[in-house]
Amino acid sequence: MEQIQPTSLKNAQTTKNTTKALEDNQSFWRRLGKDLSVNREQYLIFIPVLLYYILFHYFPMYGSVIAFKDYTPSAGIWNSPWVGFKHFKSFFESYYFITLLKNTLILSITNLLVGFPAPILLALLLNELRSKRFARMVQTITYMPHFISLVVICGMLLQFTRDNGIITHLLGYFGYPQQTMLNNANTFVPIYVLSGIWQEAGWGSIIYLAALTGIDQELYEAAAIDGANRFQKMFSITIPCILPTIVIMFIMRVGKIMSLGAEKVILLYNPAIYDSADIISSYVYRRGIIGTDWSFSAAVGLFNSVVNFILVFAVNALSRKMNDTSLW
């Protein structure tokens, strides 16, 4: 019998794999064409969303190249001279690097540990209220701060925490000195985090309330038959059922741990507390917008984005390994 050469077997297998890939590709385009014809209305609705992300999220990415150049508006992006990692090295070796990184992590981690559970607890408490009318009233009240302008919120905080402000006056009964709280470096983080909870906890609870509505009520009935009280139902049924939603939201929150918005920090801080309140995004604003050092600020912003990207992948992989819940 004629012996088949290994090279012939390899070529036959390659041809087979190529043919299968072509068939799968054709099958994909046929399925896509069929889906487009069946769900054309949904795709038309999706077009504005797609255009938004292309124009405002993906298209501007090409501008990140100025982090590796000495950019000047007169020369333009592509005609500005290349400098490699000069701006990254300058940032890492600067006096401000450790301070900015420390302040950003302290503020972000505190906000994560204290602020992330707040909407979950609020949703659980609203779910346990017997009076639905009262629950709707509480929801409306807690949603309202989300729609107040951040400038107005910060203006209120500045007034309320002055040496004669209402919050300072109330804390005076507990021994706090009558002085402007935002001139004290130790009170900046609590003011930032607690005001954020007040403003966003109600709005953030919406997604958890939606998850709670999807829980099968027969589970609660079965638990009641077994003699479970309300706290036992919460810990044995409610929390485990919304745990996938909590995990997904936690992964997305960790992905923003280095991307605290500069707006609120800039509106609240002052030179007296720069050492504890200045974070990476506010530093980028001062160097890039006020100081017109666009390449340096782009390098710092790119570093920030890379760290967030790594964190999202790491937490997503850890979550997928531990409880089979992940973004992808």
Side-chain angles (χ1 to χ4, degrees):
M1 181 181 294
E2 183 181 354
Q3 185 176 2
I4 299 177
Q5 297 297 326
T7 304
S8 301
L9 289 173
K10 184 177 180 180
N11 292 337
Q13 184 64 35
T14 303
T15 304
K16 183 178 179 181
N17 292 338
T18 303
T19 304
K20 186 176 185 301
L22 290 173
E23 291 176 352
D24 291 342
N25 188 42
Q26 293 173 356
S27 177
F28 166 77
W29 288 111
R30 283 197 298 269
R31 292 197 306 269
L32 179 60
K34 183 178 180 180
D35 193 57
L36 285 171
S37 63
V38 173
N39 302 303
R40 64 172 64 90
E41 292 84 2
Q42 288 81 351
Y43 282 101
L44 287 174
I45 294 173
F46 176 70
I47 286 176
V49 179
L50 180 64
L51 291 176
Y52 165 78
Y53 277 97
I54 291 174
L55 293 175
F56 297 103
H57 290 269
Y58 289 98
F59 182 71
M61 283 184 181
Y62 86 98
S64 299
V65 73
I66 69 174
F68 305 95
K69 294 190 170 193
D70 270 334
Y71 170 73
T72 56
S74 59
I77 293 178
W78 297 112
N79 293 326
S80 297
W82 286 93
V83 294
F85 292 95
K86 169 188 171 183
H87 301 297
F88 294 92
K89 185 178 179 181
S90 176
F91 177 58
F92 296 149
E93 293 178 351
S94 69
Y95 163 78
Y96 298 102
F97 175 67
I98 298 299
T99 302
L100 293 171
L101 186 62
K102 181 190 71 173
N103 293 343
T104 302
L105 289 176
I106 289 175
L107 195 58
S108 295
I109 293 174
T110 305
N111 201 27
L112 180 67
L113 295 178
V114 180
F116 179 75
I120 301 173
L121 294 175
L122 178 61
L124 291 173
L125 291 174
L126 290 173
N127 187 59
E128 293 297 322
L129 289 176
R130 297 184 183 277
S131 173
K132 297 304 177 184
R133 183 178 181 181
F134 180 69
R136 287 194 294 269
M137 183 182 70
V138 173
Q139 283 180 265
T140 303
I141 293 173
T142 55
Y143 292 169
M144 289 174 64
H146 172 78
F147 299 99
I148 302 176
S149 169
L150 184 60
V151 176
V152 176
I153 292 289
C154 292
M156 294 167 60
L157 291 173
L158 290 171
Q159 292 296 322
F160 293 163
T161 58
R162 293 170 62 90
D163 53 356
N164 58 352
I166 184 172
I167 295 178
T168 309
H169 183 70
L170 292 174
L171 292 176
Y173 291 109
F174 300 95
Y176 186 83
Q178 298 297 295
Q179 62 183 17
T180 302
M181 298 178 68
L182 285 173
N183 286 342
N184 185 349
N186 295 324
T187 58
F188 177 78
V189 174
I191 291 173
Y192 183 98
V193 173
L194 294 176
S195 62
I197 293 174
W198 168 69
Q199 188 178 10
E200 298 296 339
W203 184 257
S205 67
I206 293 176
I207 191 168
Y208 300 108
L209 289 169
L212 288 170
T213 59
I215 300 176
D216 189 353
Q217 297 301 309
E218 293 182 0
L219 296 174
Y220 292 107
E221 296 173 3
I225 294 173
D226 292 336
N229 57 36
R230 300 184 72 178
F231 282 100
Q232 290 172 330
K233 293 177 184 177
M234 180 185 297
F235 288 104
S236 300
I237 299 174
T238 307
I239 294 179
C241 286
I242 67 171
L243 187 59
T245 303
I246 295 174
V247 171
I248 295 298
M249 297 303 295
F250 180 77
I251 294 172
M252 297 175 67
R253 188 71 173 268
V254 170
K256 299 179 180 178
I257 201 167
M258 294 286 287
S259 296
L260 286 172
E263 298 87 356
K264 187 175 180 179
V265 174
I266 291 170
L267 290 169
L268 291 179
Y269 74 175
N270 57 72
I273 57 172
Y274 271 171
D275 288 341
S276 62
D278 201 16
I279 60 175
I280 291 177
S281 58
S282 60
Y283 181 70
V284 168
Y285 170 80
R286 290 206 315 276
R287 286 292 297 264
I289 304 299
I290 300 177
T292 66
D293 195 349
W294 297 289
S295 293
F296 183 87
S297 61
V300 178
L302 186 59
F303 161 76
N304 219 24
S305 299
V306 169
V307 173
N308 285 332
F309 183 77
I310 293 172
L311 286 173
V312 168
F313 266 82
V315 176
N316 188 74
L318 182 63
S319 175
R320 184 172 62 248
K321 184 176 181 180
M322 293 181 63
N323 57 18
D324 295 329
T325 301
S326 60
L327 281 172
W328 63 86

